[in-house]
Amino acid sequence: MVLFSATLFLGCFLIASSASAATYYVDKDGVGGICSDSNTKAQAQNTTSPWCTIDKASSNAATGDVVIIRAGIYREQIWLSATGVTYQAATGETVIIKGTKAKTGFSLTAGQAYTYQTAETATNLLNVVIEEDTNTFYVSKTSKEEVEATASTYYLDPDLDLLYIHTSDSADPSTHTIGAYQYSSILGGNQNNTTLTDLILADGYYGVYTSSTNLIINNCTFYNFLIDGIYTAGSNSTITGSTFHHIARRSIRLISGSNHTVNRNVFYSNTYGIVADSAGSNFTIKNNIFYNNQPNFRLIGTNYNQAATFSNGSNYYIYNNVFYNNGYNNIDVDEALGFNTVSNIDVRNNIFYKNLAYAIYEISVTGTHIVQYNIFYQNYSAPTYVHQLSSPYFSFDTTNQYIDPLFTNPSAYDFTLQKNSPAINAGATIADVADDYLGNSRPNSNSYDIGAYEYQNVINRPVIATDGGNGAGKDFST
């Protein structure tokens, strides 16, 4: 009997060991070893014999596995194939995943001054042509003559299999980096519990397009996408410490599901920051910085003026964010035709400063919503900076201030607080906001501060991303 038990234990141990999580390496440029997608799974667990493509790793990874990606630019579309897989950049290395392929071999089109051409199969649907070095998306035209007449345009000739382009400065395309194709960088269906860490996703149609539950994104950067940086139709997404910039439509689109958290991110130079056009509930937007965007957080309603309605969205918690110098409404709450209920919108501890449109814009929304402990200053439409088309459903009180928040240097996107800022110790106590943008504990003294930063007596000044770079989720102390 003892022998049987020992044998059974050994068998279980061997099964558990064979099913243990693996770590795979991807290294297209041979940083640690020569890559080959023909390597076995056992070989790819060694840094000296990695795979070349992330998609190869994705197609082989299983639940609990980790894919470590070495430095390089990976122009590929990655299909998520398993649940519970982590994809991360090697420590201290820069990994860029692009949803486009580089286009080269252009020559000046005969009889044209500014139009250049290169071979391209017409069956390739070119949803995206981008001048990557200038963040310029080209507009599709219907003839090479139209391309000749207008900069930043392209035309794919279906009969000649030729791609014609006119660059942003009318120069030879060899002076730019031209990317093309319809790729999304990362695609997935119901591959739940996917984690992306320390990756840069750029240049394409979508950055991440998925319906998975428990999507986790940490310290990533998204830029130059024609549609969305992140499109998710699942629930329980957590997006933390990331940067979103130069995205033509939505940085983050929460199309359905509930229990999403967007914390400690930076959004700049996008059309939309966050769009939550979902009938779900429990959306927490905290400790984020929005600047130089168009609308920043759109709750329920139309999408680009399309008449769509969504039912019973509830529990939107918008806490301790900074909205600065944005070109359109910062929190845009509109229910397309007013048919259904949007309830419980809680807007507290935010700073709205020097925005060119309303701080909050509301159309036909029923219910009681909280707007307290915020600072509004030099936005459009004083004194309240709020537009309410129907009855005043938002609940305001004297906890809101209409005063200069005294940022350290807002023109340089330093939104930390000066020592005499009225935001210090003036916020509501919110248990769900236990730290600030830099990870400092809240409160630092007697009460919570308003805005993304908790005032520190001795502080390392962060360097926030400007239009020339990126850098959310890290403390670039000086």
Side-chain angles (χ1 to χ4, degrees), residues 59-340:
S59 64
N60 283 274
T63 301
D65 289 349
V66 176
V67 177
I68 295 179
I69 308 163
R70 303 301 302 270
I73 297 176
Y74 293 79
R75 291 185 181 270
E76 57 175 298
Q77 189 171 56
I78 301 157
W79 291 86
L80 301 177
S81 301
T83 62
V85 179
T86 296
Y87 302 84
Q88 65 186 58
T91 302
E93 298 187 15
T94 299
V95 174
I96 302 175
I97 304 171
K98 289 180 175 279
T100 56
K101 289 186 177 181
K103 293 300 298 180
T104 58
F106 286 96
S107 60
L108 186 64
T109 301
Q112 307 293 334
Y114 307 115
T115 301
Y116 290 77
Q117 66 186 54
T118 191
E120 180 59 71
T121 303
T123 53
N124 290 331
L125 180 60
L126 290 181
N127 287 334
V128 176
V129 177
I130 182 172
E131 198 170 277
E132 296 178 1
D133 53 304
T134 64
N135 305 322
T136 302
F137 287 99
Y138 288 2
V139 176
S140 177
K141 296 295 183 180
T142 59
S143 70
K144 65 181 179 182
E145 288 74 22
E146 288 186 357
V147 170
E148 175 71 13
T150 308
S152 304
T153 57
Y154 76 93
Y155 168 59
L156 179 59
D157 191 316
D159 299 317
L160 300 178
D161 284 342
L162 289 175
L163 173 64
Y164 298 96
I165 70 169
H166 184 163
T167 61
S168 63
D169 57 0
S170 301
D172 189 315
S174 64
T175 63
H176 296 285
T177 301
I178 308 297
Y181 286 96
Q182 61 175 335
Y183 287 176
S184 302
S185 297
I186 297 176
L187 287 171
N190 296 314
Q191 291 73 30
N192 300 330
N193 304 302
T194 295
T195 299
L196 308 177
T197 300
D198 295 328
L199 302 174
I200 298 173
L201 288 83
D203 303 329
Y205 209 53
Y206 292 90
V208 173
Y209 188 102
T210 181
S211 57
S212 66
T213 297
N214 299 326
L215 173 68
I216 298 175
I217 294 179
N218 297 315
N219 302 323
C220 293
T221 297
F222 296 80
Y223 67 91
N224 285 359
F225 288 103
L226 186 61
I227 305 297
D228 300 334
I230 299 172
Y231 173 107
T232 177
S235 293
N236 304 320
S237 300
T238 302
I239 302 167
T240 305
S242 297
T243 299
F244 300 82
H245 66 93
H246 294 97
I247 296 173
R249 291 194 184 176
R250 298 150 297 223
S251 299
I252 299 174
R253 188 179 187 191
L254 307 172
I255 190 64
S256 65
S258 300
N259 304 317
H260 298 289
T261 298
V262 182
N263 181 27
R264 297 168 58 188
N265 303 283
V266 171
F267 302 83
Y268 71 91
S269 299
N270 306 294
T271 299
Y272 281 82
I274 304 169
V275 173
D277 46 358
S278 163
S281 62
N282 299 327
F283 297 79
T284 301
I285 313 298
K286 60 183 179 179
N287 292 323
N288 299 286
I289 296 170
F290 302 85
Y291 68 91
N292 298 352
N293 300 287
Q294 293 294 318
N296 282 305
F297 183 56
R298 190 167 209 172
L299 297 180
I300 303 296
T302 59
N303 174 27
Y304 293 94
N305 297 319
Q306 297 175 6
T309 58
F310 302 87
S311 303
N312 302 317
S314 63
N315 301 339
Y316 294 87
Y317 306 109
I318 305 172
Y319 300 147
N320 287 96
N321 302 284
V322 170
F323 300 89
Y324 173 77
N325 196 40
N326 296 293
Y328 200 59
N329 304 319
N330 288 275
I331 299 177
D332 194 346
V333 187
D334 62 64
E335 189 179 331
L337 300 178
F339 289 158
N340 302 303

